[in-house]
Amino acid sequence: MESPLEYHDALALLEWQVELGADEAIAEAPVDRFLVSAEAVATQTAPTAPRVQQAAPAVAPKADLDPVAEARKAAARAHDLEALRAEMEGFGHCDLRHGARSFVFSDGTPAARLMIVGEAPGRDEDMQGKPFVGRAGQLLDRMFDAIGMGRDHPDAAQSLYITNILPWRPPQNRDPSPAEMAMMLPFVQRHIELAAPDVVVMMGNISCQGLLGQRGITRLRGTWQEVVGRPALPMFHPAYLLRQPAKKREAWADLLTLKAWLST
Ligand code: URA
């Protein structure tokens, strides 16, 4: 019988593939090519041999579980941010986790008065395990710097706490499906409850869709909403502003609205 691939061999193979330029998962879930080719060999060499019956799965099949109800239970069990991080990291019902390199929970100052909820990690965030660290994240930092705020500012009134609707990068940065958003929403809502910011900023359409159940950021931006019992302001996503620099004027107006709100 073939010996199983050791962890370090598998890691070395993966790193070799990354060096060759294979830096993205292109399927929703990983495919075990060793299993596929072993099955092909078995089929060629013993076409009439009976197929070995797969052992019954140790856990109940996914179809029997309501992932949204499971997420609600897991989120409710968390009584602080570290516990929430652990519950989310251990949540096995969202297949995005299998294609992502990192679990991306949050960055910045948990005690900040302002909490930003973005969409989902992109390539850079998946590599570094932190939200908003790519080009859009750099623009986000510059935007808030312009009103005297930053992720790690020592004053809670000027610091930022940042998370996303999804903690795992969707393959090829596709939009999250409604099912993926619905099952991760109880965690984001609990995240807001536990961080207890004075104000929430929803960055872009996906964030508004998740937290408000509405899209249409052009109409929504700059209008005060309520999320988990807190005032919340939708804003254009910095990735959109990189593509549409003329929209920075409205983003600046929204930043000034936030600054005025925080100084009252
Ligand atoms: N865009 C987001 O919405 N979140 C990130 O973390 C990065 C890019």
Side-chain angles (χ1 to χ4, degrees):
M1 188 174 147
E2 247 178 34
S3 64
L5 258 187
E6 293 297 333
Y7 170 82
H8 291 289
D9 295 339
L11 190 62
L13 275 174
L14 185 63
E15 283 170 354
W16 182 63
Q17 289 186 5
V18 170
E19 268 179 38
L20 290 178
D23 57 357
E24 297 204 26
I26 54 165
E28 297 284 319
V31 178
D32 185 344
R33 299 281 171 204
F34 291 99
L35 195 62
V36 171
S37 55
E39 278 185 354
V41 170
T43 315
Q44 276 164 19
T45 53
T48 53
R51 297 285 303 233
V52 177
Q53 196 65 38
Q54 290 279 317
V59 292
K62 279 188 182 174
D64 289 352
L65 288 174
D66 173 359
V68 179
E70 293 300 309
R72 280 200 201 106
K73 281 192 252 166
R77 278 194 297 268
H79 292 291
D80 58 33
L81 292 174
E82 273 318 300
L84 184 69
R85 176 199 289 268
E87 287 289 352
M88 288 174 74
E89 220 169 348
F91 184 69
H93 302 284
C94 183
D95 283 340
L96 290 175
R97 61 181 294 131
H98 302 299
R101 173 189 279 243
S102 306
F103 166 74
V104 179
F105 183 65
S106 69
D107 194 29
T109 307
R113 290 186 64 200
L114 191 154
M115 179 168 180
I116 296 173
V117 182
E119 302 186 342
R123 181 176 181 275
D124 296 299
E125 290 75 22
D126 188 39
M127 303 276 280
Q128 295 188 38
K130 277 190 192 179
F132 282 104
V133 291
R135 278 186 71 222
Q138 287 156 18
L139 177 56
L140 180 141
D141 285 339
R142 289 200 298 278
M143 287 162 62
F144 281 90
D145 187 52
I147 55 164
M149 300 184 76
R151 301 180 192 221
D152 299 315
H153 198 290
D155 180 348
Q158 289 171 267
S159 56
L160 306 171
Y161 185 55
I162 308 180
T163 190
N164 280 312
I165 292 284
L166 292 176
W168 295 289
R169 180 192 183 194
Q172 295 167 308
N173 298 344
R174 66 156 169 75
D175 277 358
S177 70
E180 287 158 355
M181 286 176 65
M183 75 175 83
M184 298 316 289
L185 184 61
F187 292 112
V188 188
Q189 289 170 328
R190 188 77 181 130
H191 204 154
I192 296 171
E193 269 171 15
L194 291 170
D198 290 342
V199 61
V200 175
V201 168
M202 291 167 282
M203 282 295 182
N205 257 324
I206 300 290
S207 184
C208 292
Q209 187 181 347
L211 290 168
L212 301 176
Q214 300 182 50
R215 287 181 77 105
I217 189 67
T218 305
R219 178 178 48 85
L220 288 169
R221 66 138 281 276
T223 65
W224 284 104
Q225 310 286 329
E226 193 179 297
V227 164
V228 198
R230 281 153 213 285
L233 194 69
M235 284 186 62
F236 284 137
H237 194 287
Y240 174 71
L241 296 174
L242 286 171
R243 296 191 301 272
Q244 302 284 339
K247 299 288 179 188
K248 285 184 184 168
R249 176 193 291 261
E250 279 111 308
W252 178 238
D254 296 343
L255 288 169
L256 293 180
T257 301
L258 280 172
K259 189 177 166 62
W261 192 93
L262 285 165
S263 56
T264 54

